[in-house]
């Protein structure tokens, strides 16, 4: 914490620490403020003099906490915090630089509420920083995302209506374990009762959510990000099987989790998974792997690779010159 902060500013910071960490000890409060324990107690005294009830308890489980019914002042940001917030918003939502954007409108309100000096820097950053949109990002519907998060938090089973990239639509009854954001895309990690298996669905392709009265318990020790990475390449319409003539250790760095599961296979390795978009798999994912491979399945992926090969071969065919 900057040494030039006034006692009032430090007291406000102390109150913020108490709000975030009820039961914080004098030593922990002092460490957060960058002062001695004696000074930390003095800031607690300043809060009490200002009429803010701060309760304290002695003993090994004691500490400070704000009293019930405490009304907190508006949140105060330091310049680095405010600028970091603006940068994070622009990084995740480039359109937030536009005041007509929903997130941009919210960001403008935050900036207007900042102290003049900090707000001026944040406004300048928002106005003059340019953010290139991520063509792979997909923004899901806010209401649907909120409904899925609420169901996950309440551990309530839901019925979702889903539309795949190929246009196929279906309904599924699922246990919504978690909502995970990965590389600009939002995913629902869940257990599908129809398939009796783990599934990952793109939240932007969920058309409707209906919460049921049934409850569920997620797996013990669930790591949502790791589970999502492991299951992104399974459960889709079209099976895939690609054999590489290179050791697994050399191929692995080039294989993304949505492509499937990479396993040893003879002197090389095999990639087994599924996809809802064979054309994308053939055109965008496989060509970047710098090792010889052969596509053994499924028929949809083989057809997509054959179509790509025909196009590329035609591009190299000498065309008859126009006599004119």
């Amino acid at each position: 914490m900057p040494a030039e902060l006034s006692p009032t500013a430090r007291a406000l910071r102390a109150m913020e620490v108490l709000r975030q960490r009820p039961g914080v000890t004098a030593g922990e409060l002092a460490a957060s403020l960058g002062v001695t324990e004696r000074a930390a107690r003095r800031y607690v005294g300043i809060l009490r003099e200002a009429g803010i009830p701060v309760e304290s308890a002695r003993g090994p489980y004691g500490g400070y906490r704000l009293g019930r019914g405490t009304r907190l002042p508006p949140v105060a940001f330091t310049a680095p915090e405010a600028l970091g917030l603006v940068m994070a918003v622009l990084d995740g939502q480039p359109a937030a630089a536009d005041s007509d954007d929903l997130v941009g409108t919210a960001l403008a309100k935050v900036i207007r509420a900042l102290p003049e000096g900090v707000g001026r820097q944040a406004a300048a950053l928002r106005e003059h920083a340019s953010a290139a949109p991520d063509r792979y990002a997909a923004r899901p519907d806010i209401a649907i995302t909120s409904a899925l998060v609420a169901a996950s938090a309440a551990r309530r089973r839901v019925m979702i209506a889903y539309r795949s990239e190929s246009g196929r639509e279906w309904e599924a009854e699922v246990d919504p374990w978690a909502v995970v954001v990965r590389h600009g895309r939002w995913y629902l990690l869940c257990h599908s009762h129809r398939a009796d298996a783990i599934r990952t669905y793109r939240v932007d392709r969920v058309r409707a959510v209906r919460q049921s009265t049934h409850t569920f318990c997620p797996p013990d020790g669930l790591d949502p990000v790791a589970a999502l990475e492991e299951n992104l390449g399974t459960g889709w319409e079209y099976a895939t099987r690609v054999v590489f003539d290179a050791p697994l250790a050399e191929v692995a760095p080039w294989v993304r989790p949505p492509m499937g599961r990479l396993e040893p296979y003879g002197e090389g390795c095999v990639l087994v998974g599924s996809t809802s978009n064979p054309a994308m798999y053939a055109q965008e994912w496989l060509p970047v792997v710098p090792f010889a491979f052969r596509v053994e399945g499924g028929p949809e992926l083989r057809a997509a690779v054959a179509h790509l090969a025909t196009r590329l071969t035609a591009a190299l065919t000498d065309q008859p010159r126009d006599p004119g």
Side-chain angles (χ1 to χ4, degrees):
M1 181 173 293
E4 64 273 12
L5 286 182
S6 68
T8 301
R10 288 188 185 276
L12 290 175
R13 287 301 181 85
M15 184 168 60
E16 182 67 14
V17 173
L18 296 177
R19 185 186 69 81
Q20 294 179 346
R21 300 168 57 190
V24 63
T25 66
E28 292 168 339
L29 179 60
S32 298
L33 299 177
V35 298
T36 64
E37 289 191 26
R38 181 177 179 181
R41 294 189 181 93
R42 184 167 64 249
Y43 295 128
V44 171
I46 292 175
L47 294 176
R48 287 169 172 164
E49 290 175 3
I52 297 172
V54 179
E55 302 172 351
S56 60
R58 296 181 179 277
Y61 302 103
Y64 294 111
R65 67 184 65 246
L66 293 174
R68 290 184 178 275
T70 302
R71 296 189 55 148
L72 298 178
V75 176
F77 294 103
T78 64
E81 289 172 341
L83 297 179
L85 178 62
V86 174
M87 291 171 65
V89 172
L90 294 178
D91 183 49
Q93 177 97 345
D98 186 351
S99 58
D100 294 331
D101 178 73
L102 179 64
V103 177
T105 302
L107 181 60
K109 291 179 180 179
V110 172
I111 291 176
R112 285 196 298 270
L114 294 172
E116 183 179 357
V118 176
R120 190 185 308 113
Q121 296 180 64
L125 174 61
R126 182 196 182 199
E127 180 180 355
H128 297 290
S130 299
D134 182 356
R135 68 189 183 96
Y136 295 107
R139 306 298 174 196
D141 180 83
I142 294 175
I144 287 178
T145 306
S146 178
L148 291 173
V149 171
S152 177
R155 297 189 176 183
R156 293 282 185 180
R157 188 179 302 174
V158 296
M159 180 70 71
I160 63 171
Y162 194 80
R163 186 177 189 272
S164 71
E165 188 173 5
S166 63
R168 190 167 70 90
E169 298 185 5
W170 69 88
E171 287 193 345
E173 186 179 24
V174 303
D175 296 340
W177 290 350
V179 173
V180 182
V181 185
R182 179 183 182 275
H183 301 324
R185 291 182 176 177
W186 293 67
Y187 294 90
L188 173 65
L189 175 68
C190 62
H191 176 267
S192 169
H193 289 271
R194 184 181 70 168
D196 191 23
I198 300 174
R199 288 291 183 263
T200 55
Y201 294 116
R202 286 264 299 273
V203 177
D204 59 293
R205 294 177 184 161
V206 177
R207 301 305 178 193
V209 180
R210 187 173 69 254
Q211 193 172 134
S212 76
T213 58
H214 298 286
T215 60
F216 69 90
C217 289
D220 292 336
L222 175 68
D223 182 336
V225 174
L228 178 79
E229 294 279 2
E230 183 179 347
N231 289 278
L232 270 176
T234 61
W236 301 107
E237 298 101 310
Y238 307 114
T240 60
R241 180 181 173 86
V242 182
V243 176
F244 293 93
D245 297 328
L248 184 148
E250 296 181 15
V251 177
W254 298 90
V255 173
R256 299 164 50 197
M259 296 173 67
R261 185 179 64 257
L262 195 61
E263 301 174 344
Y265 186 72
E267 296 182 358
C269 56
V270 60
L271 179 62
V272 180
S274 61
T275 182
S276 63
N277 191 337
M280 180 184 69
Y281 201 109
Q283 296 174 21
E284 298 183 17
W285 291 357
L286 286 179
V288 301
V289 183
F291 299 101
F293 64 85
R294 62 182 182 277
V295 180
E296 295 187 347
E300 296 82 7
L301 180 58
R302 287 177 58 84
V305 172
H307 178 68
L308 176 62
T310 300
R311 286 180 55 203
L312 296 178
T313 300
L316 295 176
T317 302
D318 291 335
Q319 300 294 328
R321 294 185 178 180
D322 187 341

